[in-house]
Amino acid sequence: MNQPHYILLPANNWFVAFSLIAAFILNLLPKGGLAAIPDFVALVLVFWSIHQPRKVGIGIAFFMGLLMDVHNATLLGENALAYTLLSYVAIMLHRRVLWFQLPTQALHILLLLLLAQLAHALVHLIHSGRFPGWDYFLGSLVAALLWPLASALLLAPQRRAVDRDENRPL
């Protein structure tokens, strides 16, 4: 419980953009009919909406949702609505979520991702009249399990060195 708290460097805009593009590319990979594949764009969006709400907000979430709609050839706005809702709720809760340890944060993230997938499933249900099935929601569980890894990877460039010396400026 006595883990050190780090003062983080400001997030680099290029790194934020790179992480969103990398998540989009990961979502472009074929899923092969597997249900438990996480939505990497949603995971990275919720991460940056919690850690940097002024840099990544609802507008970026809407744009990423439109990109995913075009890629998936779904109803235009389906992913945009889900990502916008996800980003809005993440920004609303960002100060609360950051107070918790990573396992508890993962539970909050699970609920946020389930909410986004529920919105996506409801739009799909209204549009096509078919429910995607309960295994559709397994992706949120896998994404929540990946939350500690995603946090470590996405915060790594912002961490300062624990032992400073005169040869290293930060």
Side-chain angles (χ1 to χ4, degrees):
M1 292 297 255
N2 291 330
Q3 296 175 352
H5 294 285
Y6 296 101
I7 296 176
L8 299 174
L9 295 170
N12 187 349
N13 293 338
W14 291 106
F15 181 71
V16 172
F18 171 76
S19 65
L20 287 168
I21 292 168
F24 180 69
I25 290 171
L26 282 174
N27 271 7
L28 293 180
L29 295 175
K31 297 180 181 178
L34 296 175
I37 303 294
D39 187 355
F40 293 105
V41 172
L43 185 64
V44 172
L45 273 174
V46 76
F47 177 84
W48 288 120
S49 293
I50 287 174
H51 286 276
Q52 297 291 328
R54 291 184 180 177
K55 289 189 179 185
V56 176
I58 297 171
I60 301 242
F62 183 78
F63 177 71
M64 293 302 288
L66 287 178
L67 283 178
M68 286 304 298
D69 286 332
V70 169
H71 163 66
N72 292 338
T74 59
L75 185 65
L76 193 62
E78 193 171 342
N79 284 306
L81 173 68
Y83 289 168
T84 304
L85 179 67
L86 175 72
S87 181
Y88 174 75
V89 177
I91 290 170
M92 256 185 19
L93 298 176
H94 82 275
R95 291 182 187 229
R96 175 190 169 136
V97 171
L98 289 176
W99 276 98
F100 295 109
Q101 298 292 327
L102 282 176
T104 312
Q105 285 181 11
L107 290 175
H108 282 83
I109 299 310
L110 174 64
L111 294 176
L112 288 173
L113 293 172
L114 282 174
L115 176 69
Q117 276 196 317
L118 181 66
H120 192 272
L122 283 175
V123 169
H124 187 70
L125 179 68
I126 291 169
H127 176 61
S128 68
R130 291 183 312 198
F131 184 68
W134 293 107
D135 58 343
Y136 173 73
F137 297 101
L138 287 176
S140 293
L141 180 64
V142 173
L145 291 173
L146 289 174
W147 178 254
L149 178 65
S151 291
L153 288 175
L154 293 173
L155 284 178
Q158 294 178 273
R159 294 200 192 280
R160 294 178 188 258
V162 176
D163 55 339
R164 292 183 60 185
D165 62 4
E166 64 275 352
N167 298 328
R168 197 171 31 198
L170 294 175

